[in-house]
Amino acid sequence: MGTVHAKTLDPVPMHGRDLGVNPDDLVETSEPEHEAKQEILENKDVVVQHVNIEGLGRTKEDLLGYEISDVFQAKNLIDVMKKAHVARQKLLRLGIFNEVEVLIDTSEGTDALPNGLDVTFEVTEIKRLTGSYNTMVGNNEGSMVLGLKLPNMFGRAEKLTFQFSYGTKETSYGLSFFKPQPGHFERNLTLNMYKVTGQFPWSSLKETDRGLSAELNFPLGIANHTLKWEGVWRELGCLARSASFAVREESGHSLKSALSHTVSIDSRNSAIFPSRGALVRVNQELAGYTGGDASFLKEDFELQLNRRFFWDSVLSASLWGGILYPIGEKVSCIADRFYLGGPTSVRGFGMYSIGPQSEGDYLGGEAYWAGGLHLYTPLPFRPGKGGFGDLFRTHFFLNAGNLCNLHYGEGPRAHLQKLAECIRWSYGVGIVLRLGNIARLELNYCVPMGVQSGDRICDGIQFGAGIRFL
Amino acid sequence: MSLAAEAFVSQMAAAEPWPENATLYQPLKDDQILLSDCASSLAVQAYLRMCCLPVQVVCKANAEYMSPSGRIPFIHVGNQVVSELGPIVQFTKAKGHSLSDGLDDVQRAEMKAYMELVNNMLLTAELYIQWCDDATAAEISRPRYSSPYSWPLNNILAYQKQWEVRRKMNAIGWGGKTLEQVYEDVSQCCQALSQRLGTQPYFFNKQPTELDALVFGHLFTILTTRLTSTELAERIKSYSNLLSFCRRIEQNYFEGKSS
């Protein structure tokens, strides 16, 4: 039997985070080829004698042993091809190889069995150091961004990333070290060190955060858990001399040392335009028990359900909510509170411009909820079907939400009542564009309703870009 | 403040009368505030009492960062925020309250000169003693400055402030001075003030002016603050007319009312 060069069954890995291919959109091409050979080969038992990996440089072999061990279990040729394909996916998701080719050949050598097979993975390692340099201009500020990445630093899929942004107004940088557990890539540890500055014109606030964090990710059953410790030195200041006094009172330094836990169950078939599945994410953060000035318990959750409707349209419902409970006598800090409103949450309102405010500066609130109901349909008349047009959708939406501060002395009934009164809501229609597999752009026509005094609205056309939308 | 900003503040200020709920902000009195800030704050409080303008003193740990100029003290009047004695004097003048109206131009120039002397000599000496003298910095200034914060932020902020003040001292030429020289400078400043005061009750005879408030703030604070050594207080005590001046102002404006 000659060599079966099972190079690639599909052009790109199917579940990579950075690649914009939706598995639903791909058509499986492997079946017809195998049909013809199936009656000849399927009954033939084979034994996989050797599995080799060629082209290794700095990668340690013990790391790869786990990924390719399954191939030994294959009993017939079809099985070998399938398991080799799965092993190839696993090797690619480590993020340390540019390309992986699979070669299946009959065994040769003194100990070769008549039905023995050798499987060889030919890999091309990623370069030791990759860099990027960008300049960005926007919002009265220009900046230069330098990125450095060292993939597979010590040979076991560790990754060190450094990003530095030098701008006319602010400078920020971040260093991140990622280490997966050999054999269990989904269990990994990330260590971060960063300085980030942000300006929030809706609160007339500017914030500089310098911090360290350590994060542990691991799957348990169907859920993905993340445990994180974060220590941040926060410096708050007024963005303009005309900032309200309530914001001026928040200026100064504080230290937050917090433990947080997130559990997330994601059964959607895509992150951006899912047509089925659900997402449940619950996050809790406890600050103050590992040092620092800030002391609170924060809970927030995110829920999204998707279901196909008639005629290729998708009905999507989402619900967000959160509560911040300060521990001790201290009042909560403006940097910890929740914000609501804008093109990424309740559409039709200005960015984070709902809720408690003082002289036009929005202070955020300690409890909130927000819900959205969307109907996504392909573009009318389907221009560019099968290609560019598939990146767009039209959507009809209904958003609602409320943000307020709670008086913790009263019972839960009073809290629910407070959250249920003065609901802001809006409805409208718009066009959504998918960017890669992570972000989306929206252009909507919104009609805000239930507007309370103090809220800032954006009725009419509203544009939004971001990663997380209600 | 720039001229345009000053003009703007004056125009805004003139519109409304002095409200009842004017507030003065300073760092925490018992644990945090340092000599120089306490002196500046007391000077402003004395000035406002001399103008008979009611003000409430509120202590906040982040007062220094709340202030628009980064200096203590600052007042919150209506919806205006003004910091430091100079701008506050301008602000009250725009509202129609002034202590130096009765002075002629020569006297006003003299008053400004003496206020500059106090700011350049006394205030700088206070900053030097607090931050450039290692003993005082380690025993008093750094622990007090960092008391509202938790580790390691307290150390970071205290050292940051110390480096900033030392850099400033170097820039104005005080970096090379020794503690003795600084005490000498303080003595000379007090001598000039003592000579100007003479036997009068206030610097410009019968009525107190902002210069009196400023001098009172600094001298009284130095006399009543515990430092690592009593040398500074002793130097001032050698001028008896300054001592009675401080006592006079304390009796007239601070006693019998909550301070």
Side-chain angles (χ1 to χ4, degrees), chain A residues 139-193:
Chain A
N139 268 4
N140 296 336
E141 179 182 1
S143 59
M144 177 185 97
V145 182
L146 178 72
L148 284 176
K149 195 154 81 158
L150 282 84
N152 201 10
M153 231 172 67
F154 302 122
R156 290 197 173 82
E158 303 91 353
K159 188 162 72 174
L160 187 70
T161 327
F162 177 65
Q163 193 174 48
F164 179 73
S165 160
Y166 181 75
T168 48
K169 283 191 197 161
E170 320 277 7
T171 302
S172 53
Y173 45 82
L175 182 69
S176 165
F177 178 70
F178 169 82
K179 172 149 178 67
Q181 183 182 3
H184 300 97
F185 190 71
E186 289 74 23
R187 284 194 215 146
N188 48 58
L189 172 72
T190 311
L191 300 173
N192 270 324
M193 191 171 85

Side-chain angles (χ1 to χ4, degrees), chain B residues 91-102:
Chain B
F91 182 74
T92 52
K93 198 181 240 165
K95 287 205 185 287
H97 306 268
S98 175
L99 293 179
S100 52
D101 277 343

Side-chain angles (χ1 to χ4, degrees), chain A residues 4-57:
Chain A
V4 174
H5 205 143
K7 184 171 168 179
T8 45
L9 290 179
D10 38 68
V12 288
M14 296 219 276
H15 296 291
R17 237 183 48 153
D18 310 318
L19 303 162
V21 179
N22 195 324
D24 261 337
D25 300 338
L26 285 179
V27 179
E28 297 269 88
T29 50
S30 50
E31 303 318 315
E33 286 173 34
H34 294 312
E35 291 293 2
K37 299 188 183 164
Q38 243 175 5
E39 54 260 26
I40 306 169
L41 300 172
E42 206 175 66
N43 301 332
K44 186 164 182 188
D45 282 337
V46 294
V47 170
V48 178
Q49 289 199 275
H50 298 114
V51 179
N52 305 313
I53 304 189
E54 281 174 21
L56 290 182

Side-chain angles (χ1 to χ4, degrees), chain B residues 6 9-18 47-48 51 53 75 77 82 85-105 108-109 111-112 115 209-210:
Chain B
E6 270 182 44
V9 168
S10 303
Q11 207 169 16
M12 299 289 302
E16 301 145 2
W18 192 267
Y47 176 75
L48 291 174
C51 293
L53 295 171
I75 56 173
V77 176
V82 192
L85 183 65
I88 289 176
V89 169
Q90 300 278 61
F91 182 74
T92 52
K93 198 181 240 165
K95 287 205 185 287
H97 306 268
S98 175
L99 293 179
S100 52
D101 277 343
L103 302 178
D104 61 31
D105 288 336
R108 198 164 292 148
M111 181 185 76
K112 285 212 164 73
M115 283 178 78
T209 58
E210 45 264 35

Side-chain angles (χ1 to χ4, degrees), chain A residues 278-282 301-305 317-321 370 372 470:
Chain A
L279 166 71
V280 178
R281 206 181 58 87
V282 179
F301 72 90
E302 183 180 336
L303 202 65
Q304 191 188 88
L305 296 168
S318 55
L319 182 65
W320 292 357
L470 178 64

Side-chain angles (χ1 to χ4, degrees), chain A residues 378-393:
Chain A
L379 289 178
F381 309 118
R382 307 218 183 197
K385 180 178 179 178
F388 191 59
D390 279 345
L391 295 175
F392 289 86
R393 295 277 191 278

